[in-house]
Amino acid sequence: MHDAPEHYTATAKWLHWLMAGIWIGAWVLGFSAVHWHAINEDHQITFWHKAIASTLLFLIVLRVAWRLTHPAPALPGNLSPLMRKAAHHGHMVLYAVALLALPISGWLWSSVVGRPIMVLGLFQLPPLTGEHGGVAPYVKLFHTYVAWACGALVAGHGLIALKHHFIDRDGVLKGMLPGRRQA
Ligand code: HEM
Ligand code: HEM
């Protein structure tokens, strides 16, 4: 057994699980909107996909500000330097691509086709650009491919967390679970 790592702050845990829930929900809604026509004839699923996913654009600002002022806990001491680097870079990609570039590409897509985004159904997100129908297919392709690539990345991230917990039996997953105060 090695020393248990320290834990994320309660705020970091709240932000992680809130955004994880929104992210997975948004993914399922986006997928259903496109591939399950029978339930999206009136575009309500598309509406809620955009309404829920767009909240990530606000939460990420809070999350990055918190993260920059509250460092992550140490990784288990037995991880090789290569695995430490991989974990760090993997998390950076999750922030930059899954939580930032992906919602921004959805925002850009709605902007170039001139469709509104109603954040949580409450207020409209201002468009990033005017209408540019010509670039819409490229933005759509980018959003779709990045969404699928990030789906694989997030699935891998979740599986690695479970591997740490059930196979390596270290404190990595516990460090992100509720009910434990920061050391
Ligand atoms: C402001 C944020 C976002 C906007 C405005 C947006 C917009 C859209 C739109 C308009 C569609 C097509 C829906 C349809 O044709 O009915 C779509 C598809 C999709 N979106 Fe988003 N999106 C956003 C964020 C996200 C995020 C954060 C994720 C991932 C969690 C995501 C994952 C997907 C997926 C998986 C699809 C289906 C792709 C396919 O297989 O064709 N989107 N999005
Ligand atoms: C599938 C369920 C999920 C599980 C079990 C999980 C688990 C974890 C764990 C245990 C950590 C801490 C890793 C460490 O201390 O080295 C972590 C960090 C992180 N997770 Fe997740 N996660 C999940 C979903 C997500 C989702 C959907 C996203 C965003 C798309 C996400 C983004 C992140 C990021 C960016 C970090 C790095 C935090 C930091 O150090 O600032 N996670 N996750």
Side-chain angles (χ1 to χ4, degrees), residues 23 27 30 33-35 40 46 49 53 102-103 106 109-110 117 143-144 148:
W23 200 95
W27 202 99
V34 175
H35 302 282
N40 195 33
T46 308
H49 169 63
L102 183 56
W109 181 7
S110 290
I117 298 170
H143 187 69
T144 302
W148 277 92

Side-chain angles (χ1 to χ4, degrees), residues 8 16-17 20 63 67 72 75 91 94-95 154 157 172-173:
Y8 283 91
H16 175 272
W17 292 112
R63 176 127 178 228
R67 178 65 168 80
L75 287 167
H91 291 160
L94 282 173
Y95 278 119
V154 165
H157 170 70
V172 168
L173 180 57

Side-chain angles (χ1 to χ4, degrees), residues 7-83:
H7 302 283
Y8 283 91
T9 61
T11 307
K13 291 176 189 177
W14 268 103
L15 283 167
H16 175 272
W17 292 112
L18 176 66
M19 292 178 83
I22 292 172
W23 200 95
I24 293 167
W27 202 99
V28 172
L29 285 175
F31 176 87
S32 308
V34 175
H35 302 282
W36 199 355
H37 293 289
I39 60 162
N40 195 33
E41 273 173 3
D42 52 0
H43 300 292
Q44 276 300 297
I45 308 292
T46 308
F47 176 90
W48 284 109
H49 169 63
K50 300 193 296 180
I52 288 169
S54 55
T55 62
L56 294 171
L57 293 162
F58 298 87
L59 291 168
I60 190 65
V61 178
L62 210 65
R63 176 127 178 228
V64 169
W66 189 266
R67 178 65 168 80
L68 291 176
T69 48
H70 299 78
L75 287 167
N78 60 345
L79 276 194
S80 70
L82 185 70
M83 292 315 285

Side-chain angles (χ1 to χ4, degrees), residues 95-112:
Y95 278 119
V97 184
L99 292 173
L100 203 56
L102 183 56
I104 289 176
S105 71
W107 189 5
L108 190 63
W109 181 7
S110 290
S111 304
V112 298

